[in-house]
């Protein structure tokens, strides 16, 4: 098993973990209304957008464009429904797996030139994304617990 396969496996695990949201979340957790705590939709949307951005090589991105709402808007009434988020997640999953499928193992050690703050190599960029998503899976689990929902299964 090479680096491409390892990274593909770990991204698949994170997408599988996130998929658990759509069967466990209730309305309270999805749109959590405490101004100090974001809802599950926000903690889901943000890492998915981040993956979409960093899996490409463009340096500009229209954040919030997919649903027309800023993930940092507490209590946004226009927040997407779980079904729409699940479809967006599947789109990002497919883009991610396609991007990884086109990489040779040697690509992972190439110097990172587009997003240098994420790490010195392409592998560093991917680790940045995995760590970032994992942090927000923790945020999601916090909101699920506060809303008396089952937390996400670790994959």
């Amino acid at each position: 098993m090479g680096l491409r396969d390892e990274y593909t496996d770990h991204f698949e695990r994170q997408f599988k973990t996130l998929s658990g949201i759509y069967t466990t979340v209730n309305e309270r957790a999805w749109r959590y209304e405490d101004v100090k705590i974001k809802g599950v939709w926000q903690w889901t949307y943000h890492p998915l957008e981040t993956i979409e951005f960093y899996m490409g090589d463009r340096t500009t991105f229209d954040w919030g464009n997919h649903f027309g709402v800023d993930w940092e808007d507490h209590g946004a009434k226009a927040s997407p429904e779980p079904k729409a988020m699940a479809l967006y997640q599947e789109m990002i999953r497919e883009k991610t797996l396609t991007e990884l499928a086109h990489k040779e193992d040697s690509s992972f050690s190439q110097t990172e030139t587009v997003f240098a703050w994420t790490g010195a190599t392409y592998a560093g960029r991917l680790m940045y994304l995995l760590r970032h998503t994992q942090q927000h899976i923790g945020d999601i689990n916090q909101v699920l617990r506060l809303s008396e929902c089952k937390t996400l299964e670790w994959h």
Side-chain angles (χ1 to χ4, degrees):
M1 185 176 248
L3 288 172
R4 177 183 58 203
D5 298 330
E6 289 287 352
Y7 279 103
T8 298
D9 177 57
H10 281 277
F11 273 98
E12 279 279 53
R13 290 174 190 220
Q14 284 197 332
F15 287 122
K16 187 173 182 180
T17 296
L18 287 170
S19 292
I21 292 166
Y22 312 112
T23 58
T24 64
V25 72
N26 61 26
E27 184 67 17
R28 178 176 176 226
W30 188 252
R31 299 183 207 294
Y32 208 83
E33 297 198 10
D34 183 322
V35 296
K36 297 175 191 162
I37 301 172
K38 292 176 177 67
V40 168
W41 80 266
Q42 293 159 298
W43 291 128
T44 306
Y45 188 30
H46 174 60
L48 292 174
E49 269 197 317
T50 303
I51 293 169
E52 181 179 14
F53 175 59
Y54 284 105
M55 286 306 288
D57 286 331
R58 61 184 184 265
T59 55
T60 60
F61 187 75
D62 191 7
W63 297 97
N65 184 54
H66 188 80
F67 291 115
V69 63
D70 182 349
W71 77 275
E72 292 189 279
D73 181 5
H74 289 280
K77 301 299 181 209
S79 58
E81 295 300 319
K83 185 175 182 177
M85 189 70 73
L87 292 172
Y88 178 58
Q89 178 180 315
E90 183 55 27
M91 181 183 84
I92 300 308
R93 179 185 162 275
E94 288 176 13
K95 282 183 171 183
T96 300
L97 299 181
T98 298
E99 171 74 17
L100 291 171
H102 289 100
K103 296 289 183 186
E104 298 295 328
D105 278 355
S106 60
S107 303
F108 294 89
S109 61
Q110 290 178 342
T111 300
E112 177 59 52
T113 58
V114 181
F115 306 111
W117 59 90
T118 63
T121 63
Y122 182 69
R125 182 198 309 188
L126 297 179
M127 284 187 269
Y128 176 92
L129 281 173
L130 291 167
R131 290 183 316 109
H132 177 264
T133 303
Q134 200 62 46
Q135 174 183 333
H136 293 311
I137 287 171
D139 294 321
I140 291 165
N141 277 329
Q142 175 192 28
V143 177
L144 291 173
R145 279 188 196 96
L146 290 171
S147 304
E148 299 178 4
C149 295
K150 182 181 175 214
T151 57
L152 301 176
E153 185 177 333
W154 176 270
H155 294 280

